[in-house]
Structures are given as structure tokens and as C-alpha cells.
């Protein structure tokens, strides 16, 4: 396995990840295993395979470790320590988003915006990982909102290195995500969170929204299509006769 550590000049390093891929690519393209901003890297900027690396026409052995200097980023690749667990895919995706956030500055943080209920229009940015935002009507909540339908500590939104998650804190009236009651769920940009009378929208400026499901055609469409097909078949039979 390989351990990959990514850092940006002037910023604290991101947590290391351990990969067991036969081939690891570093770049900005959709197939890159280690994603960097397009302003710094080509689609496939560097490649590691079989203990060897190649980048910009140069190559060599990983050995005890090799550091790639790619724009303002430093990517160190080395053998993983014995017994290190494989990093789940959601962490590599989350770390890639964190790198893009640095380009956007304060506009790059995920946000919650109240769309319905008390304090409609209020907006809160999530602090950098690891951070927790507790929503409720009590003073112990980090985002206190006066709503009798909220529990004192109703739900928490946790921004970690593996992404952003929503967790109900044993509330009386429950927590819903896109209309479904949940205990814990990963958040995706555009989703609607409902707590008591509140409805708040989660948005992540560096995450691509999920594509909408394919539209289902109404039964009347298929009935009309069948009638047209039969009519054309009948016309063809008459003309042939």
C-alpha cells in the first residue's frame, strides 16, 4: 500500500491517506485518484505503479518516499506503515474538495441557510474540519433558534475529513432529510433539512450536485405511442392491399 500526504504552501497539511490501488494517478481529471485543482495540475500529472513513479518525462523508484512539487502543492508518496487500514473513498473525495476550498477563501465553506420558519434567511458557514454545529432551542446549542418544536439540542452537523454528516440527537420531533426521517446521514449539496418548523438548505460550493433521476414517462404516453404504431400498421396493410 501507498501513503499519500498532500499539503499546500502556507496551509496545514491534510490528513494522510492509505491506498491499495495497483496504479495511483495524481492530477485534476475525473479519473485521478489524488485530485488537485485544475489551476495547478494537468488531468493526469503523475503516475505511480509497481513501486515506481513517472512525472513530466522523469521517473524513479518510490523507495522510502518521493515528493512531487505541483504548483503550490506538495504531494509525498511513501510506503504505508505496517497494519495501516485502507482509507475509504469518501475521504479522498472530501480531501479533494478541501483543496479547492482554499482557492475560494471564505466563499468555499459549506453553508446552512434557513428557508422556512424562525429566522428565515439566516445563514451559517460550517467551520473547518473537525467541527460540530449543534442546532436546537437551548442555550447549550451552538446555533440556538427559538422554535418550540425543536429540542434543546436537536441535531448536529459535523464537518469532518470524511465529509459532512447530519445526526439527530434524540430529538422529540425528529430530523428529516429531503423528507425522510433519519438518525445519521451524509449530506450532499442542495439537500433540505427539516427540524421542527425549520427548513434549512445545505450547500457546498465545491461539490457537484447529484444529477436528477431520469424522468418517468406517463402511461398515457405509451398508450398514445401504441395507438400510433397500430394506426401506421393498419395504413400500411390497406396500402399493400
Amino acid at each position: 500500500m501507498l501513503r499519500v500526504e498532500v499539503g499546500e504552501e502556507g496551509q496545514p497539511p491534510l490528513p494522510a491517506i492509505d491506498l491499495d490501488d495497483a496504479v495511483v494517478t495524481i492530477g485534476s481529471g475525473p479519473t485521478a485518484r489524488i485530485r488537485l485543482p485544475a489551476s495547478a495540475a494537468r488531468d493526469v500529472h503523475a503516475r505511480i505503479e509497481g513501486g515506481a513513479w513517472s512525472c513530466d518525462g522523469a521517473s524513479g523508484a518510490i523507495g522510502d518516499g518521493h515528493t512531487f512539487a505541483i504548483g503550490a502543492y506538495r504531494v509525498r508518496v511513501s510506503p504505508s506503515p505496517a497494519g495501516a487500514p485502507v482509507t475509504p473513498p469518501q475521504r479522498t473525495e472530501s480531501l479533494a474538495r478541501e483543496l479547492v476550498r482554499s482557492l475560494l477563501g471564505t466563499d468555499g465553506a459549506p453553508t446552512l441557510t434557513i428557508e422556512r420558519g424562525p429566522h428565515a434567511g439566516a445563514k451559517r458557514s460550517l467551520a473547518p474540519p473537525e467541527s460540530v454545529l449543534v442546532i436546537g432551542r437551548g442555550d447549550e446549542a451552538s446555533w440556538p433558534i427559538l422554535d418550540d418544536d425543536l429540542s434543546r439540542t436537536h441535531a448536529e452537523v459535523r464537518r469532518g475529513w470524511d465529509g459532512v454528516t447530519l445526526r439527530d440527537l434524540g430529538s422529540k420531533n425528529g430530523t428529516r432529510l429531503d423528507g425522510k426521517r433519519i438518525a445519521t446521514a451524509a449530506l450532499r449539496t442542495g439537500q433540505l433539512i427539516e427540524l421542527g418548523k425549520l427548513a434549512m438548505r445545505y450547500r457546498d460550493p465545491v461539490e457537484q450536485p447529484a444529477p436528477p433521476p431520469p424522468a418517468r414517462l406517463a402511461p398515457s404516453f405509451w398508450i398514445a405511442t401504441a395507438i400510433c404504431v397500430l394506426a401506421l400498421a393498419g395504413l400500411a396493410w390497406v396500402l399493400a392491399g
Side-chain angles (χ1 to χ4, degrees):
M1 289 205 310
L2 292 175
R3 168 158 290 188
V4 182
E5 300 166 274
V6 182
E8 182 183 3
E9 292 178 356
Q11 300 293 332
L14 298 178
I17 57 176
D18 294 286
L19 307 174
D20 63 352
D21 305 49
V23 178
V24 174
T25 54
I26 303 169
S28 60
T31 62
R33 191 67 169 92
I34 306 300
R35 295 280 296 278
L36 297 178
S39 59
R42 299 185 298 274
D43 280 5
V44 177
H45 203 101
R47 178 185 174 95
I48 301 99
E49 181 177 9
W53 61 268
S54 59
C55 177
D56 290 333
S59 60
I62 290 295
D64 293 334
H66 178 79
T67 299
F68 298 93
I70 304 175
Y73 301 94
R74 300 295 177 266
V75 182
R76 179 169 175 78
V77 181
S78 59
S80 296
V86 176
T87 301
Q90 60 265 32
R91 172 162 291 196
T92 59
E93 295 171 7
S94 178
L95 295 183
R97 291 196 293 269
E98 292 302 322
L99 291 174
V100 176
R101 291 189 208 288
S102 65
L103 301 178
L104 299 177
T106 56
D107 294 330
T111 61
L112 295 169
T113 303
I114 298 177
E115 295 187 348
R116 185 180 70 243
H119 309 293
K123 182 177 180 179
R124 181 68 64 95
S125 296
L126 301 183
E130 298 275 344
S131 65
V132 176
L133 177 69
V134 176
I135 303 167
R137 62 178 173 82
D139 292 338
E140 57 269 49
S142 45
W143 193 3
I145 299 173
L146 297 179
D147 179 351
D148 291 340
D149 287 344
L150 287 180
S151 297
R152 294 187 64 83
T153 54
H154 194 106
E156 70 171 25
V157 178
R158 179 179 296 271
R159 181 181 170 190
W161 294 114
D162 292 335
V164 179
T165 56
L166 170 68
R167 183 168 72 95
D168 183 80
L169 298 177
S171 66
K172 178 181 178 180
N173 293 318
T175 298
R176 287 177 170 78
L177 182 63
D178 285 344
K180 296 180 180 180
R181 189 160 179 163
I182 60 96
T184 303
L187 286 177
R188 304 291 295 181
T189 190
Q191 289 186 307
L192 187 69
I193 302 168
E194 294 175 281
L195 319 163
K197 297 184 183 72
L198 285 176
M200 56 179 62
R201 187 77 59 181
Y202 171 75
R203 288 188 176 87
D204 186 340
V206 302
E207 180 188 342
Q208 293 296 323
R216 297 183 62 184
L217 297 175
S220 57
F221 171 84
W222 297 112
I223 294 171
T225 300
I227 292 173
C228 289
V229 171
L230 291 174
L232 290 172
L235 179 62
W237 181 81
V238 170
L239 293 175

